[in-house]
Amino acid sequence: VRALVEDKSLSKQLAEHLNMKTANWVVASKEYPLSKNPPFTGKYFVKPRFGSASIGIDETSLCDTWDDAIKQSKMYFENNIDVIVEQYIEGLCYGVSILNTISGDPLISIPHYTVSNKSGNIMTYSQKRFAEEGMKRVDSEDVILNEQLTYLAKQYFKEMQPCDYARIDFIVDDKSKIPYFLEVNALMNLGIHGGFVNSFLKSHFNSYDEILPFMNDKADSMNG
């Protein structure tokens, strides 16, 4: 499960297996760099293949041309970092937080989307760690979209067991309103200001003090 979460290519393959839409993508490394000819049309988003929390991502990750994507990938290769290059979809990033239960019927929070003052609505590692301003999360009020995202997230979460809690991320295309699977995250920040906790404070729980005891009680029961 951890490998599925950490490897963005592997997580996308599971999404495709579940018949979810994903943006076109390709992976590359220092040993196997990007081809000279683009495999799909741009724009392109270049980021580390492995990891989470937007580590190594900033505004330079968004590339207008394939040549720019190749140059950006070489910067990662200098630090022995493999990359994944995605076809950029102009839209908002939606997150669906999920908390498992002993019964196996997970609690699912209200989907939220994130907006950033960075070009391309890019969310950086510094913003996610509250070290830089310019990012905010907004609860989605689109009932139809929320139902769609909740259904997709629940299907994905079902296939990545065993897992206590996770957040499934999607990009919703501005024009078509179609959600595209982006990635999955686990072991997120459980601080009171974290997005995962705040999502559940809007649904299922009335206070922060209720959330962690719930998770501890579930873990004790699962451990016998």
Side-chain angles (χ1 to χ4, degrees):
V1 172
R2 190 63 187 171
L4 178 75
V5 171
E6 291 290 341
D7 186 342
K8 293 177 172 59
S9 179
L10 187 60
S11 60
K12 289 176 183 293
Q13 290 177 53
L14 175 57
E16 285 194 329
H17 174 72
L18 296 173
N19 295 317
M20 296 182 188
K21 289 187 177 296
T22 65
N24 293 318
W25 86 91
V26 64
V27 296
S29 64
K30 180 184 293 186
E31 294 77 17
Y32 301 98
L34 296 171
S35 63
K36 294 183 179 180
N37 297 317
F40 41 81
T41 59
K43 301 179 177 179
Y44 306 95
F45 198 78
V46 185
K47 60 185 180 182
R49 174 179 175 177
F50 304 102
S52 58
S54 294
I55 295 176
I57 292 177
D58 58 28
E59 290 177 286
T60 64
S61 296
L62 180 58
C63 301
D64 290 328
T65 69
W66 185 247
D67 285 341
D68 291 336
I70 291 176
K71 292 178 182 177
Q72 184 68 14
S73 71
K74 290 180 178 179
M75 294 179 63
Y76 286 111
F77 297 159
E78 290 177 358
N79 295 306
N80 294 313
I81 297 174
D82 293 3
V83 301
I84 180 169
V85 182
E86 301 166 334
Q87 188 172 34
Y88 177 72
I89 295 176
E90 191 165 344
L92 292 175
C93 178
Y94 283 75
V96 185
S97 299
I98 304 179
L99 177 58
N100 215 343
T101 65
I102 297 173
S103 67
D105 187 17
L107 303 179
I108 304 178
S109 72
I110 299 171
H112 64 269
Y113 61 89
T114 310
V115 292
S116 169
N117 62 355
K118 304 295 184 182
S119 60
N121 201 41
I122 293 171
M123 293 159 282
T124 67
Y125 176 77
S126 296
Q127 287 178 324
K128 289 188 175 181
R129 286 294 177 267
F130 306 108
E132 183 181 5
E133 296 181 347
M135 184 191 79
K136 66 177 181 178
R137 298 181 180 88
V138 182
D139 292 331
S140 173
E141 298 181 353
D142 188 325
V143 176
I144 295 177
L145 178 61
N146 287 352
E147 289 180 353
Q148 190 176 11
L149 293 174
T150 297
Y151 172 79
L152 293 173
K154 188 174 183 179
Q155 292 298 109
Y156 196 96
F157 189 69
K158 178 181 177 181
E159 297 298 323
M160 59 174 289
Q161 295 304 304
C163 182
D164 286 339
Y165 63 99
R167 190 188 71 246
I168 318 296
D169 291 342
F170 301 87
I171 290 289
V172 178
D173 186 282
D174 279 343
K175 295 181 180 179
S176 68
K177 303 304 178 183
I178 294 175
Y180 290 79
F181 172 87
L182 180 61
E183 61 186 35
V184 57
N185 296 272
L187 302 179
M188 293 83 64
N189 174 18
L190 293 180
I192 193 169
H193 298 297
F196 181 88
V197 168
N198 274 268
S199 294
F200 278 103
L201 290 178
K202 304 291 179 61
S203 56
H204 300 295
F205 296 95
N206 296 315
S207 70
Y208 181 68
D209 291 336
E210 291 181 3
I211 297 178
L212 294 185
F214 172 87
M215 298 184 71
N216 289 334
D217 289 344
K218 179 175 69 66
D220 289 342
S221 298
M222 292 179 70
N223 290 330

